[in-house]
Amino acid sequence: MATTPEASQIQARCPRHPERPATGVCERCGGFLCELDRVVGWTKSFCPSCAANPEVDYVERFRLDCWGRRDGWAWVIGVLSVPIALVASIGVYEAATTRRAHFLEVAVPLIVSATGVAFWLGVRWARQGLILVPAALGAVAAATEGPLPALTLVLFPLWGALSIYLDVRNQLFFKVSVPRKKLEKAWRQHRDNTVAHAGFLFALVGLLPIGLGLVGLILSIIGLMRVDPNAHPPVGRRGEAIAGVVLGTIGTLEAVALGAYLLGGR
């Protein structure tokens, strides 16, 4: 008597644990697996061999893609270091020729530019230096100008440096180990349904009368159609896509109304 696929699956044994019956199949290779083999936290089932594959483990793939690669912050700091290095070279030249340059006028740009270049190159100490430089400048300013001017001078750079230091994408550039939970959050931020995210941003800017509302509306609709929490990897940002559709619609209507008003005025 022929057996149904469900019956054969129940009768099959897990290759890794022969004493246990198979309760499912791997979504990638089709091999039998038991509950002990199921990867917790995923909507689909994979055997341990397939689960270790970067194509399946999209969080690990994200980590490998970003490992040692410069992020946006590294480029921003590297570009900003160029004019600061120019100021430092001018200070060194004045100190060498006229000897009128103040020590801090030469030392501060040199230290800042050297830290920025080292940060762009991915030198480990530059991560801590990014925080120590504004803190040291604040201490000098507090000693010379007073605590309140020092606070206003250092508060924003120090806050920015701390934000960069804790950024997961930047940590991966410096090859710093990051817990999986933080990697999953970073993956959602940088890779999950980027069309919906772009649509929301365009729709938000499109509230101004510059005609981007329609672009945001189209991208948001596409992003909303892509949402599938049961896919692998899951596709989210449903709320962002819906917000983009609403804002894009408003922005498009505003642009149409403005165009009609301007044409009517003529």
Side-chain angles (χ1 to χ4, degrees), residues 5-247:
E6 292 79 5
S8 62
Q9 178 174 315
I10 294 175
Q11 295 171 1
R13 295 286 173 175
C14 175
R16 288 180 174 267
H17 306 94
E19 73 282 1
R20 301 180 65 88
T23 57
V25 294
C26 175
E27 296 283 347
R28 184 171 182 268
C29 69
F32 291 113
L33 70 161
C34 65
E35 286 300 322
L36 295 179
D37 292 331
R38 177 179 170 80
V39 178
V40 179
W42 288 352
T43 56
K44 295 190 176 184
S45 300
F46 298 96
C47 67
S49 299
C50 291
N53 192 305
E55 296 296 332
V56 173
D57 191 349
Y58 54 90
V59 177
E60 176 64 12
R61 176 63 181 268
F62 170 73
R63 187 188 71 84
L64 293 175
D65 288 345
C66 300
W67 193 255
R69 292 190 178 184
R70 290 183 183 88
D71 64 328
W73 285 120
W75 283 105
V76 168
I77 293 174
V79 171
L80 291 178
S81 299
V82 175
I84 298 175
L86 181 61
V87 172
S89 62
I90 294 174
V92 171
Y93 175 78
E94 290 182 352
T97 55
T98 64
R99 297 184 179 180
R100 293 180 180 177
H102 193 273
F103 172 75
L104 291 178
E105 295 177 355
V106 178
V108 170
L110 277 175
I111 295 173
V112 173
S113 61
T115 304
V117 171
F119 192 92
W120 184 82
L121 292 173
V123 181
R124 281 291 189 96
W125 63 261
R127 291 189 69 233
Q128 290 75 23
L130 194 69
I131 300 175
L132 293 176
V133 166
L137 293 179
V140 173
T144 57
E145 305 294 334
L148 186 58
L151 183 63
T152 56
L153 178 66
V154 175
L155 187 60
F156 180 75
L158 188 59
W159 173 79
L162 286 171
S163 300
I164 297 172
Y165 183 85
L166 297 174
D167 182 73
V168 172
R169 179 64 184 84
N170 189 255
Q171 291 179 20
L172 294 177
F173 162 54
F174 280 93
K175 298 182 179 180
V176 177
S177 297
V178 179
R180 187 176 177 88
K181 287 293 184 182
K182 290 186 177 181
L183 284 173
E184 291 176 353
K185 185 177 180 180
W187 178 87
R188 287 192 293 269
Q189 179 183 355
H190 294 283
R191 298 289 176 87
D192 184 14
N193 204 349
T194 54
V195 175
H197 183 62
F200 172 76
L201 295 179
F202 273 105
L204 187 62
V205 178
L207 291 176
L208 302 174
I210 55 178
L212 293 179
L214 180 59
V215 178
L217 177 61
I218 294 173
L219 291 177
S220 297
I221 292 175
I222 295 174
L224 185 60
M225 294 173 62
R226 289 186 175 185
V227 172
D228 184 3
N230 295 322
H232 188 86
V235 184
R237 296 186 188 266
R238 181 188 300 274
E240 202 167 2
I242 293 174
V245 170
V246 174
L247 295 177

